[in-house]
Amino acid sequence: MPGTVRSKPKLIATMFEYDFMRTAFAAGGIVALVAGAVGFFLILRNLTFAGHALSHVGFAGATGSVLIGVSALWGLLAFTLAAAVVMGLLGNRLRDRDVAVGIVLSLALGLGVLFLFLYSTSASEATTILFGNLLGVSIDTLWSLLGLSVATLLALAMISRPLLFATLEPELAEAKGVSLRFISVSFLAIVAVAVAEAAQVVGVLLVFALMVGPAAAAQRLASRLGWALILAIFLALAETWSGLALAYVTDWPTTFWIVLLSCCGYFVATAKGALDWQATTRVEP
Amino acid sequence: MDALAARCHRPSTRWLAGCAIELDRATLARGGRIVLDAVSASICPGEFVGIFGPNGSGKTTLLRALLGLPPPLSGAVRVFGRPLRRGNRMIGYLPQQRAGLADLPIRGWDFVASAWQGERWGLPLIGRRGQQQVMQAIDRVEAQALADRRLSQLSGGEVQRLLLAQALLGRPRILLLDEPLISLDPHFQQAIVALVRRIQQTEEITVLFTAHDLNPLLGVMDRVLYLANHQAVIGTVDEVVTDEVLSRLYDMPIAVYRIKDRIAVFAGHGPVEAEAHRHDV
Ligand SMILES: Nc1ncnc2c1ncn2[C@@H]1O[C@H](COP(=O)(O)OP(=O)(O)O)[C@@H](O)[C@H]1O
Ligand SMILES: [Mg+2]
C-alpha cells in the first residue's frame, strides 16, 4: 500500500487525500494516547524493562497467531496478557528478576522464529511484526485498537489513584488497605494491552521508544505530576503524527521517524533537565 | 481492661480513657517465623515511646502489627480499646526508608498528596479539601520550601520531613515512626526529633518511634520499649536501660555507662549501637 505514494515531490497537504494515511493517523493517535499515559506510570514504577520484555513475549504470540490464521494483534495480546499476569503474581519474589525475564523473553523470540519458519512466510510478515507498519493498518484493526484503547484508558483512570499511592509509598498504601498485588497485576495487564497496541505502530522491537521515550522526556521537563502526565501524552501524539508526516514526505519508514523523534525528545529533555538542575543550587536549610 | 489501664504509666487523667495501644500476650510473626513471642505492653494516649533493639528484633514487625499487617498469630492487639483493622484512620505511619525513594522525580507536594485518601478508586485529583489537608500537613512539618522541589533534589532529612507530613495526613491520634533518623547526621537527627516532639505535644498524639541509638531521644521519650530474643521490656529509661534488665533481655552480659547526659550500651564485644552502622537498608 505505501507503494502507491512513490511519486515525488509530495506536498504535505495531500497527505489526507489517502485513506490509508487517514487510517494511519487515527490508529497512531489512538495508540499514542495509551502509550503516553501507560508509559508515564511504567517509568514511575521502574518497570520499563518489564514493558520491553512483554513486547518480546508478544512476538511469539504474533507469529503464532499468523500461523493459525488469526490477526497478529490478538496473538500479541494473548501472550502479553498471560505474561503480565504471571509477572504480576510473582512480584517481588522474582528476586533476580532481570535474569528470569531475560531468559523467558529469549525463549519467546526463539518460539517466534520457529513459528515464522513453520509458516514459511515472506520476510515482510516478520518485518511488520518486529518493526511495525502503521501505513498498513486495516480498518478492522483500527476499530480493535479503538476498543482496546477505550478499555485500557478507563481501567487506568479507575486505578490511577491507588496505583500512584502504591507506586510512591507501597508500605503506607498497604497499611491504608490498598492491595499491592491487585494493583501490580492489574497495572501489568494494562501495560500488556498498551504494548500490544504500540506494537502495531512501531513493532515489538521498538515499543520502548513509543511508551518510554515520551514519558521519560515529560518527567524531565515538567515537575508537576499532572502536567508531566499530560505532556507525556502530548509528546507521544506529536512524535507519532510528526513521524507519519515525515514518512509521507520522505518515503522512509514511519517507525524510523517515530523512534528518531522519541530519542531526540528524550535527549533534549535530559539536557534541559541537567541544565536546570545545575541552575538550582542545593542548599541544606 | 482496668488492670491494663492501671499499667499505663503516667499519673494523668488521660489514661482513664483507656490505653492508646495494648499488646496482650501478642505473638507476632513475619515471613513464617515468630518474631515476638507473647509480649505484653500498654501505651498511654499522648505518650512518646522509643522502641529499640538489634536488627531483626522485630521493631518493624511490631509497628506493622498495629496496622494489621498482619494481625497477631495469637493474643490481642488493641488500639484505643478496639481490635485491629486495616486502614485505621487513627494511625499515621512513616515506613522505614527504602532504596529508590530518593531518586523519584516527583515534587514534594505531589508526593505528600499521593497519600491523601490514596486508597480510593479513580483519578488522583484530591479536591479542595484534600489540598487544604496536604498544605496543613506540609506546614506542620515546616516543609513549605520543599513542596516545589523534586525528591531527587532533597537531602535525607528533607525527605523524612515529607514522609512525616504524609503520616500526619488525616490528623491521626497515633504516629508510628519507623527509623526516621536512619542515615541522618546528628544535627538533622535532632531537628527531626524536636519536630516530632513539638507536634506530639501540641496535638497530644501518641508516638512510637523506633531507632538504633537512644541518645537522640533522651529527654524526649516518656518510656522505652526494648526488643530482643522475641521478648519485650517496657519502662522508663532509668528502669529499663540498666545492666540487669538488658542483660536478662539480651541473654548476654550488657554494660550500661552514663557519660554526662549520654548513655552508652555495651555488649560483651563492643557498643550495641554499632549495629546502626551495618543496617540493612
Ligand atoms: N520482608 C520480610 N519477609 C520475611 N521476613 C522478614 C522480612 N523483613 C524482616 N523479616 C524478618 O523478620 C524479623 C524481624 O524483622 P524486623 O521487624 O524488620 O526487625 P527490625 O525492624 O527490628 O530490624 C527478622 O528476623 C527478619 O529476618
Ligand atoms: Mg526495621
Side-chain angles (χ1 to χ4, degrees), chain B residues 73-100:
Chain B
L73 285 184
S74 65
V77 176
R78 281 182 286 267
V79 174
F80 288 115
R82 296 209 207 109
L84 290 176
R85 59 197 158 87
R86 253 176 92 189
N88 190 340
R89 295 255 176 93
M90 303 260 234
I91 305 181
Y93 175 41
L94 186 157
Q96 193 167 334
Q97 275 267 32
R98 59 171 203 286

PDB file of all heavy atoms in Angstrom, chain B residues 73-100:
ATOM      1  N   LEU B  73      -0.573 -13.589  65.573  1.00  0.00           N
ATOM      2  CA  LEU B  73      -0.936 -15.005  65.463  1.00  0.00           C
ATOM      3  C   LEU B  73      -1.827 -15.406  66.620  1.00  0.00           C
ATOM      4  O   LEU B  73      -2.786 -16.156  66.453  1.00  0.00           O
ATOM      5  CB  LEU B  73       0.335 -15.867  65.497  1.00  0.00           C
ATOM      6  CG  LEU B  73       1.204 -15.905  64.256  1.00  0.00           C
ATOM      7  CD1 LEU B  73       2.350 -16.874  64.461  1.00  0.00           C
ATOM      8  CD2 LEU B  73       0.378 -16.316  63.047  1.00  0.00           C
ATOM      9  N   SER B  74      -1.458 -14.921  67.815  1.00  0.00           N
ATOM     10  CA  SER B  74      -2.295 -15.201  68.972  1.00  0.00           C
ATOM     11  C   SER B  74      -2.165 -14.030  69.928  1.00  0.00           C
ATOM     12  O   SER B  74      -1.312 -13.171  69.755  1.00  0.00           O
ATOM     13  CB  SER B  74      -1.861 -16.499  69.651  1.00  0.00           C
ATOM     14  OG  SER B  74      -0.570 -16.332  70.179  1.00  0.00           O
ATOM     15  N   GLY B  75      -3.007 -14.003  70.944  1.00  0.00           N
ATOM     16  CA  GLY B  75      -3.044 -12.864  71.843  1.00  0.00           C
ATOM     17  C   GLY B  75      -3.822 -11.733  71.197  1.00  0.00           C
ATOM     18  O   GLY B  75      -4.399 -11.906  70.116  1.00  0.00           O
ATOM     19  N   ALA B  76      -3.820 -10.584  71.845  1.00  0.00           N
ATOM     20  CA  ALA B  76      -4.631  -9.481  71.335  1.00  0.00           C
ATOM     21  C   ALA B  76      -3.797  -8.219  71.179  1.00  0.00           C
ATOM     22  O   ALA B  76      -2.865  -7.972  71.943  1.00  0.00           O
ATOM     23  CB  ALA B  76      -5.802  -9.219  72.270  1.00  0.00           C
ATOM     24  N   VAL B  77      -4.105  -7.458  70.146  1.00  0.00           N
ATOM     25  CA  VAL B  77      -3.558  -6.117  69.990  1.00  0.00           C
ATOM     26  C   VAL B  77      -4.750  -5.194  69.864  1.00  0.00           C
ATOM     27  O   VAL B  77      -5.634  -5.418  69.033  1.00  0.00           O
ATOM     28  CB  VAL B  77      -2.668  -6.009  68.740  1.00  0.00           C
ATOM     29  CG1 VAL B  77      -2.191  -4.576  68.562  1.00  0.00           C
ATOM     30  CG2 VAL B  77      -1.468  -6.938  68.848  1.00  0.00           C
ATOM     31  N   ARG B  78      -4.832  -4.199  70.743  1.00  0.00           N
ATOM     32  CA  ARG B  78      -5.956  -3.272  70.670  1.00  0.00           C
ATOM     33  C   ARG B  78      -5.448  -1.854  70.513  1.00  0.00           C
ATOM     34  O   ARG B  78      -4.410  -1.481  71.068  1.00  0.00           O
ATOM     35  CB  ARG B  78      -6.821  -3.390  71.922  1.00  0.00           C
ATOM     36  CG  ARG B  78      -7.755  -4.594  71.898  1.00  0.00           C
ATOM     37  CD  ARG B  78      -8.628  -4.645  73.141  1.00  0.00           C
ATOM     38  NE  ARG B  78      -7.868  -5.059  74.297  1.00  0.00           N
ATOM     39  CZ  ARG B  78      -7.774  -6.316  74.715  1.00  0.00           C
ATOM     40  NH1 ARG B  78      -8.430  -7.271  74.074  1.00  0.00           N
ATOM     41  NH2 ARG B  78      -7.055  -6.618  75.757  1.00  0.00           N
ATOM     42  N   VAL B  79      -6.173  -1.072  69.728  1.00  0.00           N
ATOM     43  CA  VAL B  79      -5.847   0.331  69.525  1.00  0.00           C
ATOM     44  C   VAL B  79      -7.039   1.135  70.034  1.00  0.00           C
ATOM     45  O   VAL B  79      -8.145   0.964  69.527  1.00  0.00           O
ATOM     46  CB  VAL B  79      -5.573   0.616  68.039  1.00  0.00           C
ATOM     47  CG1 VAL B  79      -5.387   2.105  67.817  1.00  0.00           C
ATOM     48  CG2 VAL B  79      -4.336  -0.142  67.582  1.00  0.00           C
ATOM     49  N   PHE B  80      -6.812   1.946  71.053  1.00  0.00           N
ATOM     50  CA  PHE B  80      -7.890   2.661  71.735  1.00  0.00           C
ATOM     51  C   PHE B  80      -9.024   1.699  72.113  1.00  0.00           C
ATOM     52  O   PHE B  80     -10.199   1.978  71.890  1.00  0.00           O
ATOM     53  CB  PHE B  80      -8.422   3.815  70.875  1.00  0.00           C
ATOM     54  CG  PHE B  80      -7.463   4.967  70.798  1.00  0.00           C
ATOM     55  CD1 PHE B  80      -6.869   5.320  69.595  1.00  0.00           C
ATOM     56  CD2 PHE B  80      -7.123   5.690  71.939  1.00  0.00           C
ATOM     57  CE1 PHE B  80      -5.974   6.372  69.527  1.00  0.00           C
ATOM     58  CE2 PHE B  80      -6.223   6.737  71.876  1.00  0.00           C
ATOM     59  CZ  PHE B  80      -5.648   7.083  70.675  1.00  0.00           C
ATOM     60  N   GLY B  81      -8.617   0.568  72.645  1.00  0.00           N
ATOM     61  CA  GLY B  81      -9.586  -0.391  73.155  1.00  0.00           C
ATOM     62  C   GLY B  81     -10.309  -1.219  72.114  1.00  0.00           C
ATOM     63  O   GLY B  81     -11.068  -2.113  72.441  1.00  0.00           O
ATOM     64  N   ARG B  82     -10.056  -0.915  70.827  1.00  0.00           N
ATOM     65  CA  ARG B  82     -10.763  -1.665  69.786  1.00  0.00           C
ATOM     66  C   ARG B  82      -9.806  -2.636  69.112  1.00  0.00           C
ATOM     67  O   ARG B  82      -8.610  -2.379  69.043  1.00  0.00           O
ATOM     68  CB  ARG B  82     -11.314  -0.708  68.724  1.00  0.00           C
ATOM     69  CG  ARG B  82     -12.349   0.226  69.300  1.00  0.00           C
ATOM     70  CD  ARG B  82     -13.330   0.630  68.233  1.00  0.00           C
ATOM     71  NE  ARG B  82     -13.877   1.936  68.572  1.00  0.00           N
ATOM     72  CZ  ARG B  82     -13.578   3.033  67.903  1.00  0.00           C
ATOM     73  NH1 ARG B  82     -12.777   2.993  66.877  1.00  0.00           N
ATOM     74  NH2 ARG B  82     -14.103   4.176  68.279  1.00  0.00           N
ATOM     75  N   PRO B  83     -10.342  -3.729  68.609  1.00  0.00           N
ATOM     76  CA  PRO B  83      -9.474  -4.664  67.885  1.00  0.00           C
ATOM     77  C   PRO B  83      -8.921  -4.022  66.614  1.00  0.00           C
ATOM     78  O   PRO B  83      -9.416  -2.998  66.144  1.00  0.00           O
ATOM     79  CB  PRO B  83     -10.391  -5.846  67.558  1.00  0.00           C
ATOM     80  CG  PRO B  83     -11.756  -5.457  67.947  1.00  0.00           C
ATOM     81  CD  PRO B  83     -11.726  -4.171  68.683  1.00  0.00           C
ATOM     82  N   LEU B  84      -7.886  -4.662  66.046  1.00  0.00           N
ATOM     83  CA  LEU B  84      -7.211  -4.103  64.881  1.00  0.00           C
ATOM     84  C   LEU B  84      -8.088  -4.108  63.651  1.00  0.00           C
ATOM     85  O   LEU B  84      -8.922  -4.974  63.468  1.00  0.00           O
ATOM     86  CB  LEU B  84      -5.997  -4.970  64.546  1.00  0.00           C
ATOM     87  CG  LEU B  84      -4.845  -4.914  65.509  1.00  0.00           C
ATOM     88  CD1 LEU B  84      -3.804  -5.910  65.049  1.00  0.00           C
ATOM     89  CD2 LEU B  84      -4.285  -3.517  65.513  1.00  0.00           C
ATOM     90  N   ARG B  85      -7.875  -3.127  62.812  1.00  0.00           N
ATOM     91  CA  ARG B  85      -8.414  -3.228  61.451  1.00  0.00           C
ATOM     92  C   ARG B  85      -7.457  -2.499  60.523  1.00  0.00           C
ATOM     93  O   ARG B  85      -6.788  -1.549  60.927  1.00  0.00           O
ATOM     94  CB  ARG B  85      -9.820  -2.655  61.371  1.00  0.00           C
ATOM     95  CG  ARG B  85      -9.909  -1.215  61.777  1.00  0.00           C
ATOM     96  CD  ARG B  85     -11.351  -0.836  62.084  1.00  0.00           C
ATOM     97  NE  ARG B  85     -11.384   0.327  62.946  1.00  0.00           N
ATOM     98  CZ  ARG B  85     -11.367   1.571  62.489  1.00  0.00           C
ATOM     99  NH1 ARG B  85     -11.346   1.811  61.218  1.00  0.00           N
ATOM    100  NH2 ARG B  85     -11.373   2.577  63.328  1.00  0.00           N
ATOM    101  N   ARG B  86      -7.405  -2.979  59.298  1.00  0.00           N
ATOM    102  CA  ARG B  86      -6.525  -2.318  58.333  1.00  0.00           C
ATOM    103  C   ARG B  86      -7.149  -1.010  57.906  1.00  0.00           C
ATOM    104  O   ARG B  86      -8.354  -0.863  57.888  1.00  0.00           O
ATOM    105  CB  ARG B  86      -6.318  -3.220  57.115  1.00  0.00           C
ATOM    106  CG  ARG B  86      -4.927  -3.829  57.096  1.00  0.00           C
ATOM    107  CD  ARG B  86      -4.796  -4.776  55.951  1.00  0.00           C
ATOM    108  NE  ARG B  86      -4.264  -4.098  54.780  1.00  0.00           N
ATOM    109  CZ  ARG B  86      -4.217  -4.667  53.581  1.00  0.00           C
ATOM    110  NH1 ARG B  86      -4.681  -5.863  53.405  1.00  0.00           N
ATOM    111  NH2 ARG B  86      -3.707  -4.010  52.570  1.00  0.00           N
ATOM    112  N   GLY B  87      -6.311  -0.042  57.580  1.00  0.00           N
ATOM    113  CA  GLY B  87      -6.829   1.240  57.124  1.00  0.00           C
ATOM    114  C   GLY B  87      -7.379   2.078  58.262  1.00  0.00           C
ATOM    115  O   GLY B  87      -8.215   2.948  58.053  1.00  0.00           O
ATOM    116  N   ASN B  88      -6.916   1.828  59.499  1.00  0.00           N
ATOM    117  CA  ASN B  88      -7.366   2.611  60.651  1.00  0.00           C
ATOM    118  C   ASN B  88      -6.919   4.066  60.514  1.00  0.00           C
ATOM    119  O   ASN B  88      -5.731   4.364  60.467  1.00  0.00           O
ATOM    120  CB  ASN B  88      -6.770   1.983  61.920  1.00  0.00           C
ATOM    121  CG  ASN B  88      -7.373   2.565  63.166  1.00  0.00           C
ATOM    122  OD1 ASN B  88      -7.941   3.657  63.135  1.00  0.00           O
ATOM    123  ND2 ASN B  88      -7.257   1.831  64.256  1.00  0.00           N
ATOM    124  N   ARG B  89      -7.898   4.968  60.472  1.00  0.00           N
ATOM    125  CA  ARG B  89      -7.593   6.391  60.263  1.00  0.00           C
ATOM    126  C   ARG B  89      -6.901   7.021  61.465  1.00  0.00           C
ATOM    127  O   ARG B  89      -6.336   8.106  61.372  1.00  0.00           O
ATOM    128  CB  ARG B  89      -8.896   7.154  60.003  1.00  0.00           C
ATOM    129  CG  ARG B  89      -9.578   6.736  58.731  1.00  0.00           C
ATOM    130  CD  ARG B  89      -9.393   7.792  57.658  1.00  0.00           C
ATOM    131  NE  ARG B  89      -9.981   7.327  56.414  1.00  0.00           N
ATOM    132  CZ  ARG B  89     -11.225   7.602  56.043  1.00  0.00           C
ATOM    133  NH1 ARG B  89     -11.983   8.354  56.808  1.00  0.00           N
ATOM    134  NH2 ARG B  89     -11.694   7.142  54.914  1.00  0.00           N
ATOM    135  N   MET B  90      -7.016   6.339  62.637  1.00  0.00           N
ATOM    136  CA  MET B  90      -6.425   6.901  63.854  1.00  0.00           C
ATOM    137  C   MET B  90      -4.910   6.831  63.816  1.00  0.00           C
ATOM    138  O   MET B  90      -4.245   7.460  64.636  1.00  0.00           O
ATOM    139  CB  MET B  90      -6.887   6.084  65.055  1.00  0.00           C
ATOM    140  CG  MET B  90      -8.367   6.028  65.192  1.00  0.00           C
ATOM    141  SD  MET B  90      -8.821   7.202  66.423  1.00  0.00           S
ATOM    142  CE  MET B  90      -9.752   6.160  67.501  1.00  0.00           C
ATOM    143  N   ILE B  91      -4.357   6.000  62.920  1.00  0.00           N
ATOM    144  CA  ILE B  91      -2.921   5.743  62.947  1.00  0.00           C
ATOM    145  C   ILE B  91      -2.239   6.356  61.731  1.00  0.00           C
ATOM    146  O   ILE B  91      -2.651   6.139  60.592  1.00  0.00           O
ATOM    147  CB  ILE B  91      -2.636   4.224  62.972  1.00  0.00           C
ATOM    148  CG1 ILE B  91      -3.369   3.570  64.140  1.00  0.00           C
ATOM    149  CG2 ILE B  91      -1.138   3.981  63.088  1.00  0.00           C
ATOM    150  CD1 ILE B  91      -3.133   2.090  64.244  1.00  0.00           C
ATOM    151  N   GLY B  92      -1.181   7.140  61.990  1.00  0.00           N
ATOM    152  CA  GLY B  92      -0.325   7.625  60.917  1.00  0.00           C
ATOM    153  C   GLY B  92       0.954   6.812  60.928  1.00  0.00           C
ATOM    154  O   GLY B  92       1.443   6.438  61.995  1.00  0.00           O
ATOM    155  N   TYR B  93       1.487   6.525  59.754  1.00  0.00           N
ATOM    156  CA  TYR B  93       2.618   5.580  59.659  1.00  0.00           C
ATOM    157  C   TYR B  93       3.705   6.164  58.782  1.00  0.00           C
ATOM    158  O   TYR B  93       3.443   6.637  57.675  1.00  0.00           O
ATOM    159  CB  TYR B  93       2.079   4.267  59.086  1.00  0.00           C
ATOM    160  CG  TYR B  93       3.085   3.177  58.781  1.00  0.00           C
ATOM    161  CD1 TYR B  93       4.151   2.908  59.631  1.00  0.00           C
ATOM    162  CD2 TYR B  93       2.944   2.391  57.639  1.00  0.00           C
ATOM    163  CE1 TYR B  93       5.038   1.880  59.343  1.00  0.00           C
ATOM    164  CE2 TYR B  93       3.819   1.364  57.347  1.00  0.00           C
ATOM    165  CZ  TYR B  93       4.869   1.112  58.212  1.00  0.00           C
ATOM    166  OH  TYR B  93       5.739   0.101  57.914  1.00  0.00           O
ATOM    167  N   LEU B  94       4.930   6.141  59.280  1.00  0.00           N
ATOM    168  CA  LEU B  94       6.087   6.532  58.484  1.00  0.00           C
ATOM    169  C   LEU B  94       6.922   5.269  58.305  1.00  0.00           C
ATOM    170  O   LEU B  94       7.579   4.825  59.241  1.00  0.00           O
ATOM    171  CB  LEU B  94       6.881   7.619  59.218  1.00  0.00           C
ATOM    172  CG  LEU B  94       8.063   8.264  58.494  1.00  0.00           C
ATOM    173  CD1 LEU B  94       8.354   9.631  59.088  1.00  0.00           C
ATOM    174  CD2 LEU B  94       9.322   7.427  58.534  1.00  0.00           C
ATOM    175  N   PRO B  95       6.859   4.643  57.130  1.00  0.00           N
ATOM    176  CA  PRO B  95       7.560   3.375  56.932  1.00  0.00           C
ATOM    177  C   PRO B  95       9.070   3.569  56.952  1.00  0.00           C
ATOM    178  O   PRO B  95       9.564   4.667  56.686  1.00  0.00           O
ATOM    179  CB  PRO B  95       7.103   2.907  55.547  1.00  0.00           C
ATOM    180  CG  PRO B  95       6.006   3.810  55.136  1.00  0.00           C
ATOM    181  CD  PRO B  95       6.156   5.070  55.913  1.00  0.00           C
ATOM    182  N   GLN B  96       9.768   2.486  57.242  1.00  0.00           N
ATOM    183  CA  GLN B  96      11.226   2.516  57.193  1.00  0.00           C
ATOM    184  C   GLN B  96      11.659   2.857  55.772  1.00  0.00           C
ATOM    185  O   GLN B  96      11.083   2.357  54.807  1.00  0.00           O
ATOM    186  CB  GLN B  96      11.762   1.133  57.592  1.00  0.00           C
ATOM    187  CG  GLN B  96      13.228   1.115  57.876  1.00  0.00           C
ATOM    188  CD  GLN B  96      13.652  -0.185  58.564  1.00  0.00           C
ATOM    189  OE1 GLN B  96      12.866  -0.832  59.229  1.00  0.00           O
ATOM    190  NE2 GLN B  96      14.905  -0.540  58.389  1.00  0.00           N
ATOM    191  N   GLN B  97      12.654   3.738  55.638  1.00  0.00           N
ATOM    192  CA  GLN B  97      13.113   4.205  54.316  1.00  0.00           C
ATOM    193  C   GLN B  97      13.523   3.027  53.450  1.00  0.00           C
ATOM    194  O   GLN B  97      14.171   2.105  53.915  1.00  0.00           O
ATOM    195  CB  GLN B  97      14.329   5.102  54.500  1.00  0.00           C
ATOM    196  CG  GLN B  97      13.968   6.509  54.779  1.00  0.00           C
ATOM    197  CD  GLN B  97      13.907   7.320  53.509  1.00  0.00           C
ATOM    198  OE1 GLN B  97      13.562   6.818  52.449  1.00  0.00           O
ATOM    199  NE2 GLN B  97      14.236   8.578  53.630  1.00  0.00           N
ATOM    200  N   ARG B  98      13.154   3.100  52.198  1.00  0.00           N
ATOM    201  CA  ARG B  98      13.604   2.057  51.284  1.00  0.00           C
ATOM    202  C   ARG B  98      14.424   2.694  50.168  1.00  0.00           C
ATOM    203  O   ARG B  98      14.291   3.892  49.883  1.00  0.00           O
ATOM    204  CB  ARG B  98      12.419   1.307  50.702  1.00  0.00           C
ATOM    205  CG  ARG B  98      11.477   2.203  49.957  1.00  0.00           C
ATOM    206  CD  ARG B  98      10.437   1.456  49.195  1.00  0.00           C
ATOM    207  NE  ARG B  98       9.939   2.294  48.125  1.00  0.00           N
ATOM    208  CZ  ARG B  98       9.128   3.325  48.317  1.00  0.00           C
ATOM    209  NH1 ARG B  98       8.747   3.659  49.522  1.00  0.00           N
ATOM    210  NH2 ARG B  98       8.733   4.053  47.304  1.00  0.00           N
ATOM    211  N   ALA B  99      15.287   1.885  49.575  1.00  0.00           N
ATOM    212  CA  ALA B  99      16.125   2.395  48.495  1.00  0.00           C
ATOM    213  C   ALA B  99      15.238   2.823  47.334  1.00  0.00           C
ATOM    214  O   ALA B  99      14.186   2.250  47.110  1.00  0.00           O
ATOM    215  CB  ALA B  99      17.088   1.306  48.054  1.00  0.00           C
ATOM    216  N   GLY B 100      15.653   3.830  46.597  1.00  0.00           N
ATOM    217  CA  GLY B 100      14.907   4.234  45.411  1.00  0.00           C
ATOM    218  C   GLY B 100      13.979   5.402  45.648  1.00  0.00           C
ATOM    219  O   GLY B 100      13.659   6.136  44.726  1.00  0.00           O
TER     220      GLY B 100
END
